[in-house]
Amino acid sequence: GESVGLHLPTLSVQEGDNSIINCAYSNSASDYFIWYKQESGKGPQFIIDIRSNMDKRQGQRVTVLLNKTVKHLSLQIAATQPGDSAVYFCAENRPPLQGGSEKLVFGKGTKLTVNP
Amino acid sequence: DTGVSQDPRHKITKRGQNVTFRCDPISEHNRLYWYRQTLGQGPEFLTYFQNEAQLEKSRLLSDRFSAERPKGSFSTLEIQRTEQGDSAMYLCASRNRVSGELFFGEGSRLTVL
C-alpha cells in the first residue's frame, strides 16, 4: 500500500543525548509534513510540522528538517528525556488526486528508547 | 487530550459479530478521518468526511465496513461480521482546514476472538 518509508525501526539513546529520527517520503507533490509521537495505547500526538516551502522549523527541543531534493525528513530532539520514549511517525500530506481527498499518509514509525 | 473523543476505547468480540465505534471530533472541525493501525505499523487511511459527505473510501474498507456522519458532527464506523483480521486500533481524527494538523483521538482497540 502507499506509505512513507521509515527505515530504522528502533533507536536507543542515553538520556541527555540528542536524537535524530529520519524519514523518506515518496510523493514529490506532498506539501506539508508532520511528526507525531505515539505512546503505548494512545493516539498519535502532534509534535511539529513543516510546509514544503520551508527547509527547517524549530520548536521547543525539537527541530524538523526537510530536504525536498532527496525527499527526506528528519526530526531532531535535543537533550532527550525518558518521557520522549515512544514511537515516532512522519506523515506527508498528499494533495487530492482526481476523485480523491487530501490525506495524511504515515510511515511505519521508529521506536525511540531513552536509557537513564 | 486533543478534544477528539472515541468510544468505546476497547472492544472484545467474537468472530461474526457486529461492532460500532463512535467518534466525536473537535466541534468546529468539518473534516473527519478514520484510520486503522495494526501493531508495529503506522496508521492507514480508511475514509474521509467533509461535513456529512463521505468523500473517499480506501480499498482497505471492504463492504463489511460502513461509516456515517449524519449531521456533520459525530461519526460512526460499523464493522459487520467481524473477522480476526479486523483486530486493530481504529483511530479517528479531525482537522478544520486544508493542510492543517490532524488531531487524533485515543483510538478504539478492537480484538476479534
Side-chain angles (χ1 to χ4, degrees), chain B residues 67-106:
Chain B
E68 295 182 340
R69 195 182 183 198
K71 297 180 181 178
S73 56
F74 74 92
S75 176
T76 58
L77 177 67
E78 181 183 17
I79 309 173
Q80 295 182 325
R81 305 181 303 281
T82 52
E83 301 173 355
Q84 288 184 324
D86 297 331
S87 295
M89 175 80 88
Y90 290 86
L91 292 161
C92 176
S94 68
R95 74 191 338 178
N96 63 353
R97 58 184 174 88
V98 173
S99 299
E101 175 189 349
L102 265 189
F103 292 83
F104 281 88
E106 297 288 34

Side-chain angles (χ1 to χ4, degrees), chain A:
Chain A
E2 54 183 16
S3 68
V4 176
L6 231 153
H7 301 293
L8 185 65
T10 61
L11 175 65
S12 184
V13 300
Q14 291 298 122
E15 182 178 359
D17 286 353
N18 296 335
S19 303
I20 299 176
I21 300 172
N22 295 304
C23 176
Y25 65 94
S26 58
N27 194 318
S28 56
S30 294
D31 57 0
Y32 174 63
F33 303 87
I34 307 180
W35 280 99
Y36 282 91
K37 172 186 179 183
Q38 188 173 28
E39 296 173 317
S40 181
K42 295 189 174 182
Q45 176 188 1
F46 172 89
I47 302 174
I48 191 167
D49 58 3
I50 188 167
R51 299 204 177 274
S52 56
N53 61 352
M54 303 171 68
D55 52 23
K56 180 179 180 179
R57 190 156 189 235
Q58 288 186 290
Q60 192 173 20
R61 283 201 307 118
V62 293
T63 300
V64 54
L65 300 177
L66 174 63
N67 185 330
K68 294 182 288 294
T69 303
V70 294
K71 296 202 281 289
H72 184 268
L73 197 66
S74 69
L75 176 70
Q76 300 177 359
I77 305 174
T80 317
Q81 301 168 1
D84 295 327
S85 294
V87 178
Y88 289 80
F89 293 98
C90 66
E92 61 178 307
N93 187 71
R94 293 195 181 167
L97 299 174
Q98 188 175 11
S101 65
E102 178 188 39
K103 64 174 78 68
L104 282 187
V105 176
F106 286 78
K108 290 184 173 58
T110 294
K111 182 177 181 180
L112 175 65
T113 301
V114 182
N115 302 308

Side-chain angles (χ1 to χ4, degrees), chain B residues 9-55:
Chain B
R9 292 289 314 279
H10 303 275
K11 178 71 176 179
I12 300 174
T13 191
K14 293 182 179 179
R15 189 178 55 182
Q17 297 296 303
N18 299 343
V19 297
T20 299
F21 301 117
R22 176 181 170 123
C23 171
D24 287 89
I26 294 171
S27 59
E28 61 267 28
H29 287 185
N30 64 339
R31 297 163 187 265
L32 186 147
Y33 297 78
W34 284 98
Y35 281 78
R36 181 173 69 186
Q37 186 176 27
T38 53
L39 199 61
Q41 302 295 315
E44 296 175 293
F45 169 81
L46 290 180
T47 191
Y48 161 66
F49 290 86
Q50 184 168 325
N51 300 311
E52 67 276 7
Q54 187 174 20
L55 297 186

